[in-house]
mmCIF file of all heavy atoms in Angstrom:
data_model
loop_
_atom_site.group_PDB
_atom_site.id
_atom_site.type_symbol
_atom_site.label_atom_id
_atom_site.label_comp_id
_atom_site.label_asym_id
_atom_site.label_seq_id
_atom_site.Cartn_x
_atom_site.Cartn_y
_atom_site.Cartn_z
ATOM 1 N N VAL A 30 131.954 208.190 209.331
ATOM 2 C CA VAL A 30 131.273 207.865 208.091
ATOM 3 C C VAL A 30 129.815 207.593 208.434
ATOM 4 O O VAL A 30 129.520 206.785 209.325
ATOM 5 C CB VAL A 30 131.900 206.659 207.385
ATOM 6 C CG1 VAL A 30 131.130 206.318 206.120
ATOM 7 C CG2 VAL A 30 133.363 206.937 207.055
ATOM 8 N N TYR A 31 128.915 208.264 207.747
ATOM 9 C CA TYR A 31 127.487 208.124 207.983
ATOM 10 C C TYR A 31 126.885 207.255 206.889
ATOM 11 O O TYR A 31 127.080 207.514 205.698
ATOM 12 C CB TYR A 31 126.817 209.493 208.021
ATOM 13 C CG TYR A 31 127.076 210.230 209.305
ATOM 14 C CD1 TYR A 31 128.339 210.733 209.587
ATOM 15 C CD2 TYR A 31 126.073 210.411 210.257
ATOM 16 C CE1 TYR A 31 128.603 211.388 210.778
ATOM 17 C CE2 TYR A 31 126.316 211.069 211.444
ATOM 18 C CZ TYR A 31 127.585 211.554 211.699
ATOM 19 O OH TYR A 31 127.834 212.210 212.884
ATOM 20 N N TYR A 32 126.138 206.231 207.307
ATOM 21 C CA TYR A 32 125.560 205.250 206.400
ATOM 22 C C TYR A 32 124.045 205.297 206.435
ATOM 23 O O TYR A 32 123.444 205.343 207.515
ATOM 24 C CB TYR A 32 125.996 203.829 206.788
ATOM 25 C CG TYR A 32 127.478 203.572 206.666
ATOM 26 C CD1 TYR A 32 128.326 203.789 207.738
ATOM 27 C CD2 TYR A 32 128.022 203.096 205.479
ATOM 28 C CE1 TYR A 32 129.680 203.543 207.638
ATOM 29 C CE2 TYR A 32 129.378 202.847 205.373
ATOM 30 C CZ TYR A 32 130.203 203.065 206.457
ATOM 31 O OH TYR A 32 131.547 202.810 206.346
ATOM 32 N N CYS A 33 123.431 205.261 205.275
ATOM 33 C CA CYS A 33 121.993 205.121 205.172
ATOM 34 C C CYS A 33 121.622 203.645 205.279
ATOM 35 O O CYS A 33 122.355 202.774 204.798
ATOM 36 C CB CYS A 33 121.508 205.699 203.845
ATOM 37 S SG CYS A 33 119.713 205.763 203.654
ATOM 38 N N ARG A 34 120.472 203.375 205.900
ATOM 39 C CA ARG A 34 119.998 202.017 206.110
ATOM 40 C C ARG A 34 118.506 201.955 205.800
ATOM 41 O O ARG A 34 117.754 202.842 206.184
ATOM 42 C CB ARG A 34 120.246 201.594 207.569
ATOM 43 C CG ARG A 34 119.568 200.312 208.008
ATOM 44 C CD ARG A 34 120.259 199.093 207.460
ATOM 45 N NE ARG A 34 119.668 197.869 207.980
ATOM 46 C CZ ARG A 34 120.099 196.645 207.716
ATOM 47 N NH1 ARG A 34 121.164 196.466 206.945
ATOM 48 N NH2 ARG A 34 119.485 195.595 208.229
ATOM 49 N N SER A 35 118.080 200.896 205.115
ATOM 50 C CA SER A 35 116.666 200.626 204.920
ATOM 51 C C SER A 35 116.353 199.220 205.383
ATOM 52 O O SER A 35 117.200 198.329 205.302
ATOM 53 C CB SER A 35 116.254 200.805 203.458
ATOM 54 O OG SER A 35 116.794 199.779 202.649
ATOM 55 N N ASP A 36 115.115 199.029 205.857
ATOM 56 C CA ASP A 36 114.661 197.728 206.326
ATOM 57 C C ASP A 36 113.243 197.467 205.876
ATOM 58 O O ASP A 36 112.380 198.344 205.974
ATOM 59 C CB ASP A 36 114.712 197.639 207.847
ATOM 60 C CG ASP A 36 116.111 197.528 208.391
ATOM 61 O OD1 ASP A 36 116.672 196.424 208.353
ATOM 62 O OD2 ASP A 36 116.643 198.553 208.859
ATOM 63 N N TYR A 37 113.003 196.254 205.375
ATOM 64 C CA TYR A 37 111.647 195.771 205.202
ATOM 65 C C TYR A 37 111.125 195.282 206.548
ATOM 66 O O TYR A 37 111.892 195.033 207.488
ATOM 67 C CB TYR A 37 111.607 194.627 204.200
ATOM 68 C CG TYR A 37 111.997 194.991 202.788
ATOM 69 C CD1 TYR A 37 112.951 194.249 202.106
ATOM 70 C CD2 TYR A 37 111.396 196.055 202.128
ATOM 71 C CE1 TYR A 37 113.303 194.563 200.813
ATOM 72 C CE2 TYR A 37 111.744 196.377 200.835
ATOM 73 C CZ TYR A 37 112.700 195.623 200.183
ATOM 74 O OH TYR A 37 113.051 195.934 198.885
ATOM 75 N N ALA A 38 109.802 195.121 206.640
ATOM 76 C CA ALA A 38 109.208 194.593 207.859
ATOM 77 C C ALA A 38 109.718 193.193 208.172
ATOM 78 O O ALA A 38 109.750 192.784 209.339
ATOM 79 C CB ALA A 38 107.684 194.596 207.752
ATOM 80 N N SER A 39 110.119 192.461 207.153
ATOM 81 C CA SER A 39 110.662 191.120 207.332
ATOM 82 C C SER A 39 112.023 191.115 208.007
ATOM 83 O O SER A 39 112.487 190.064 208.457
ATOM 84 C CB SER A 39 110.768 190.422 205.984
ATOM 85 O OG SER A 39 111.715 191.070 205.159
ATOM 86 N N GLY A 40 112.678 192.264 208.058
ATOM 87 C CA GLY A 40 114.010 192.360 208.607
ATOM 88 C C GLY A 40 115.111 192.416 207.568
ATOM 89 O O GLY A 40 116.270 192.657 207.929
ATOM 90 N N ILE A 41 114.786 192.190 206.308
ATOM 91 C CA ILE A 41 115.775 192.308 205.247
ATOM 92 C C ILE A 41 116.150 193.775 205.082
ATOM 93 O O ILE A 41 115.272 194.640 204.954
ATOM 94 C CB ILE A 41 115.249 191.743 203.925
ATOM 95 C CG1 ILE A 41 114.891 190.254 204.088
ATOM 96 C CG2 ILE A 41 116.256 191.939 202.807
ATOM 97 C CD1 ILE A 41 116.073 189.381 204.447
ATOM 98 N N GLY A 42 117.427 194.060 205.073
ATOM 99 C CA GLY A 42 117.886 195.428 205.010
ATOM 100 C C GLY A 42 118.986 195.646 204.001
ATOM 101 O O GLY A 42 119.568 194.700 203.467
ATOM 102 N N SER A 43 119.275 196.926 203.761
ATOM 103 C CA SER A 43 120.321 197.330 202.833
ATOM 104 C C SER A 43 121.116 198.473 203.434
ATOM 105 O O SER A 43 120.597 199.245 204.251
ATOM 106 C CB SER A 43 119.724 197.775 201.493
ATOM 107 O OG SER A 43 119.013 196.726 200.863
ATOM 108 N N TRP A 44 122.363 198.575 203.026
ATOM 109 C CA TRP A 44 123.250 199.658 203.436
ATOM 110 C C TRP A 44 123.672 200.486 202.239
ATOM 111 O O TRP A 44 123.902 199.958 201.149
ATOM 112 C CB TRP A 44 124.521 199.106 204.094
ATOM 113 C CG TRP A 44 124.334 198.470 205.428
ATOM 114 C CD1 TRP A 44 124.313 197.145 205.714
ATOM 115 C CD2 TRP A 44 124.165 199.145 206.676
ATOM 116 N NE1 TRP A 44 124.140 196.938 207.058
ATOM 117 C CE2 TRP A 44 124.049 198.153 207.677
ATOM 118 C CE3 TRP A 44 124.101 200.488 207.052
ATOM 119 C CZ2 TRP A 44 123.866 198.462 209.029
ATOM 120 C CZ3 TRP A 44 123.919 200.791 208.385
ATOM 121 C CH2 TRP A 44 123.809 199.791 209.355
ATOM 122 N N GLY A 45 123.787 201.786 202.451
ATOM 123 C CA GLY A 45 124.444 202.634 201.486
ATOM 124 C C GLY A 45 125.950 202.529 201.610
ATOM 125 O O GLY A 45 126.485 201.817 202.471
ATOM 126 N N GLN A 46 126.647 203.245 200.747
ATOM 127 C CA GLN A 46 128.109 203.163 200.722
ATOM 128 C C GLN A 46 128.774 204.042 201.771
ATOM 129 O O GLN A 46 129.967 203.871 202.050
ATOM 130 C CB GLN A 46 128.627 203.534 199.330
ATOM 131 C CG GLN A 46 128.770 205.031 199.063
ATOM 132 C CD GLN A 46 127.451 205.756 198.874
ATOM 133 O OE1 GLN A 46 126.392 205.148 198.761
ATOM 134 N NE2 GLN A 46 127.512 207.088 198.840
ATOM 135 N N GLY A 47 128.041 204.969 202.340
ATOM 136 C CA GLY A 47 128.560 205.863 203.356
ATOM 137 C C GLY A 47 129.024 207.191 202.798
ATOM 138 O O GLY A 47 129.450 207.289 201.653
ATOM 139 N N THR A 48 128.935 208.224 203.632
ATOM 140 C CA THR A 48 129.442 209.546 203.287
ATOM 141 C C THR A 48 130.193 210.107 204.489
ATOM 142 O O THR A 48 129.732 210.007 205.625
ATOM 143 C CB THR A 48 128.301 210.484 202.842
ATOM 144 O OG1 THR A 48 128.839 211.735 202.420
ATOM 145 C CG2 THR A 48 127.288 210.715 203.949
ATOM 146 N N GLN A 49 131.360 210.665 204.243
ATOM 147 C CA GLN A 49 132.227 211.131 205.315
ATOM 148 C C GLN A 49 131.770 212.484 205.835
ATOM 149 O O GLN A 49 131.535 213.413 205.064
ATOM 150 C CB GLN A 49 133.678 211.233 204.824
ATOM 151 C CG GLN A 49 134.658 211.791 205.852
ATOM 152 C CD GLN A 49 134.931 210.829 206.982
ATOM 153 O OE1 GLN A 49 135.170 209.643 206.752
ATOM 154 N NE2 GLN A 49 134.880 211.340 208.220
ATOM 155 N N VAL A 50 131.658 212.581 207.156
ATOM 156 C CA VAL A 50 131.409 213.846 207.838
ATOM 157 C C VAL A 50 132.602 214.121 208.743
ATOM 158 O O VAL A 50 132.944 213.297 209.595
ATOM 159 C CB VAL A 50 130.112 213.806 208.660
ATOM 160 C CG1 VAL A 50 129.990 215.055 209.535
ATOM 161 C CG2 VAL A 50 128.913 213.672 207.739
ATOM 162 N N THR A 51 133.229 215.262 208.555
ATOM 163 C CA THR A 51 134.367 215.658 209.371
ATOM 164 C C THR A 51 134.079 217.018 209.990
ATOM 165 O O THR A 51 133.777 217.975 209.275
ATOM 166 C CB THR A 51 135.653 215.727 208.542
ATOM 167 O OG1 THR A 51 135.902 214.458 207.930
ATOM 168 C CG2 THR A 51 136.839 216.102 209.423
ATOM 169 N N VAL A 52 134.172 217.093 211.310
ATOM 170 C CA VAL A 52 133.915 218.323 212.050
ATOM 171 C C VAL A 52 135.224 218.781 212.668
ATOM 172 O O VAL A 52 135.803 218.083 213.503
ATOM 173 C CB VAL A 52 132.843 218.122 213.130
ATOM 174 C CG1 VAL A 52 132.527 219.455 213.804
ATOM 175 C CG2 VAL A 52 131.590 217.510 212.527
ATOM 176 N N SER A 53 135.694 219.934 212.262
ATOM 177 C CA SER A 53 136.953 220.462 212.749
ATOM 178 C C SER A 53 136.733 221.284 214.009
ATOM 179 O O SER A 53 135.708 221.952 214.174
ATOM 180 C CB SER A 53 137.630 221.309 211.675
ATOM 181 O OG SER A 53 136.835 222.435 211.334
#
């Protein structure tokens, strides 16, 4: 599962909900 992340310079951050990547 790949998650997006953002950060302010202060260190406060947020996460996305994630998206599944499957490689066969």
Side-chain angles (χ1 to χ4, degrees):
V30 178
Y31 284 71
Y32 296 91
C33 187
R34 169 75 175 183
S35 70
D36 287 281
Y37 295 129
S39 66
I41 300 298
S43 299
W44 291 103
Q46 83 287 350
T48 184
Q49 177 71 46
V50 171
T51 302
V52 184
S53 62

